[in-house]
Amino acid sequence: RHPAVYTLALGVYASAWAVYGSLEFASHYGFGYLAYYLGVAGAFLLAPVLLVPIQRMTRTHQLSSLADLFAFRFRSRWVGTLLTLVSLLAVLPLLALQIQTMGHAIHRLSGVGSPSLLALGFSLLIALFAMLFGARHSHLSARHDSLLAAIALESLVKLVAMLALGAFALFGIFEGPADLQAWLDGAGHLDQTRIAQLDPAQWRTLLLLFFSAAFLMPHMFHITFAETLDRRTLLQSSWALPLFLLLMALPVPLILWATQRLGVHEVGAGAAYLAFGLSSSWWVDSLAFIAGLAAASGTMIILSLAQSGMV
């Protein structure tokens, strides 16, 4: 029940998108990938005026889900039902993305089997884990200390794996910051000019979308309000979670630039797996896989738990 465990558990926001999707997005739109991190960071920086009042309301009236909150606010069960259906339609693509991404990642790492069958096996394992650690309580309002600790550990694992990949890119592919800057000013400049840039309207849309995700996505609402310890812990996370997301975001351009220097050019969705092209060493591929595994599994478990409670 240490506040650090709660803050790391909030890192469940960094799904497979943070590991693979950000790389793909950065390869197409450069620093536009930062919108994914800046939006939710902005929401938590405003925790004293935005999140703490919601926490007070959920605690006072024992509201354990987003559907409960809206049903209470508008004094209508139909509102809660409608929100549950809308939320279900919204989270299914996110769940599908985690599953599909891990199916392809397992296939790239092993080189055997069908990505679809591998994804199915992965889903069954995650479902078993979620039942053992998360679905033993009949009430969603019950705390899941063991599950929270597991999700916090997964956040720590994906952070360490991403930082290790970034360090390998900076000191293994390049010879340090000076060599990286020299490459960006020289041979790498052409690669950067080919990357499109988001226009201001796209930036605003993405920032608003990810800002809203901080408290409107079922899994984030669940961790932030149903599992939180107290007001002080939530206030501590207002700076600790943005710091965590900053550290998660830092390795992304380093990995992208390293693969550009190596001449690794993936097109379409294949750009999401650029980290697998950093080296032929098994441990580098394992780091890229473990980071995605920790990110996707944590999101799938909490998202399924929160959404099933709403349903």
Side-chain angles (χ1 to χ4, degrees):
R1 298 202 172 195
H2 194 277
V5 174
Y6 170 72
T7 300
L8 285 171
L10 282 170
V12 73
Y13 171 80
S15 64
W17 174 273
V19 178
Y20 302 128
S22 290
L23 270 173
E24 182 183 353
F25 203 82
S27 68
H28 295 305
Y29 299 105
F31 290 107
Y33 83 96
L34 287 171
Y36 176 78
Y37 303 92
L38 293 175
V40 72
F44 272 85
L45 287 173
L46 294 174
V49 296
L50 180 66
L51 302 182
V52 169
I54 299 177
Q55 182 198 47
R56 188 182 304 118
M57 185 184 299
T58 56
R59 282 295 178 88
T60 302
H61 301 284
Q62 298 181 346
L63 310 174
S64 59
S65 71
L66 198 60
D68 288 347
L69 177 64
F70 275 78
F72 170 79
R73 173 64 183 80
F74 293 98
R75 299 294 193 273
S76 172
R77 286 190 175 185
W78 289 108
V79 173
T81 302
L82 178 62
L83 187 76
T84 298
L85 293 175
V86 171
S87 179
L88 184 61
L89 293 175
V91 303
L92 284 178
L94 178 59
L95 272 174
L97 180 65
Q98 311 303 308
I99 297 169
Q100 184 183 48
T101 299
M102 288 313 301
H104 286 288
I106 297 170
H107 180 68
R108 278 183 174 253
L109 185 69
S110 64
V112 297
S114 164
S116 299
L117 291 177
L118 292 171
L120 177 61
F122 172 71
S123 298
L124 293 175
L125 286 175
I126 295 302
L128 178 62
F129 186 91
M131 285 188 287
L132 290 175
F133 285 89
R136 292 179 299 171
H137 301 290
S138 59
H139 300 288
L140 191 63
S141 58
R143 282 185 52 83
H144 305 84
D145 290 330
S146 299
L147 179 61
L148 211 63
I151 299 301
L153 178 61
E154 287 184 331
S155 293
L156 190 62
V157 167
K158 66 189 173 190
L159 176 61
V160 171
M162 283 295 288
L163 290 176
L165 287 170
F168 178 80
L170 183 58
F171 297 103
I173 307 302
F174 297 99
E175 295 178 3
D179 184 37
L180 170 60
Q181 187 61 54
W183 179 82
L184 287 173
D185 293 336
H189 180 71
L190 182 61
D191 286 320
Q192 312 317 311
T193 58
R194 293 172 181 164
I195 296 178
Q197 300 297 323
L198 296 179
D199 61 47
Q202 290 172 319
W203 267 105
R204 287 192 295 269
T205 302
L206 287 173
L207 286 173
L208 179 61
L209 177 68
F210 294 122
F211 179 91
S212 304
F215 49 90
L216 289 180
M217 290 300 286
H219 61 308
M220 289 303 295
F221 186 95
H222 181 79
I223 294 291
T224 306
F225 303 114
E227 300 283 357
T228 187
L229 298 176
D230 51 37
R231 177 178 177 273
R232 183 181 176 184
T233 305
L234 183 57
L235 289 175
Q236 286 178 344
S237 69
S238 67
W239 61 265
L241 181 64
L243 176 61
F244 173 86
L245 294 175
L246 170 65
L247 294 175
M248 284 290 296
L250 281 177
V252 173
L254 297 176
I255 296 170
L256 176 62
W257 292 332
T259 54
Q260 288 175 344
R261 182 171 192 174
L262 293 172
V264 179
H265 295 289
E266 296 272 9
V267 295
Y273 307 97
L274 283 171
F276 287 93
L278 280 175
S279 173
S280 58
S281 299
W282 65 269
W283 65 271
V284 176
D285 287 348
S286 297
L287 279 175
F289 173 73
I290 289 171
L293 175 65
S297 57
T299 300
M300 288 174 64
I301 290 168
I302 299 299
L303 191 56
S304 301
L305 176 67
Q307 187 64 49
S308 64
M310 291 171 63
V311 171

